[in-house]
Amino acid sequence: MEDNNLRSIFQMIVRRFGFLNEQCCEDCCGNDISLIQSQILYEISRQDAPSMQEVAGALGVDITTFSRQVKTLVERDLVKKTPHPNDNRVNLLSLTSKGNMTEQKINDEMNKYLNQVLSNLTDFERETVIRSMDLLDKALKKTVNNCCSPK
């Protein structure tokens, strides 16, 4: 496969998935959650009391932009910020009960839609796609810091 075509396919999948995620957030939970806010809720839900820096790093978002988004989520009673017990300069994040419910609704809608997409495939194709995405994720984890660096 030609390199430009490979990049094109990957870009389209990422774009479509981002658009799907954005639509889901606006439609499913009635909370008018932006794409980045949805991603923040997801990251907080999968970690145990992460720091703001940990979540911002996982999302690849600068801390200033991230702080503004977290402030909005705190004001909307979706996220709780707690000072670290050993270092008041560090804030730990957790989901409130409303935040957990919102994250679960988004998760359910995304899973429903992804299952709908995958239902267009045979069992073998579906398993192949899922296995391939897992392999791609593992490969990306190994090389993420090498993108666009001189060879």
Side-chain angles (χ1 to χ4, degrees), residues 36 39-40 53 55-67 69:
I36 186 64
Q39 292 170 339
I40 291 169
Q53 292 77 5
V55 177
L59 295 173
V61 177
D62 71 90
I63 196 68
T64 305
T65 301
F66 183 78
S67 294
Q69 293 296 330

Side-chain angles (χ1 to χ4, degrees), residues 78-89:
L78 297 172
V79 171
K80 181 179 177 185
K81 258 175 40 172
T82 308
H84 190 285
N86 300 327
D87 187 349
N88 283 339
R89 297 170 296 169

Side-chain angles (χ1 to χ4, degrees), residues 103-120:
E103 164 55 22
Q104 188 58 54
K105 286 180 185 177
I106 293 169
N107 193 42
D108 291 346
E109 285 298 315
M110 289 297 294
N111 283 329
K112 184 171 84 176
Y113 185 78
L114 290 171
N115 284 322
Q116 181 183 352
V117 168
L118 293 174
S119 74
N120 294 307

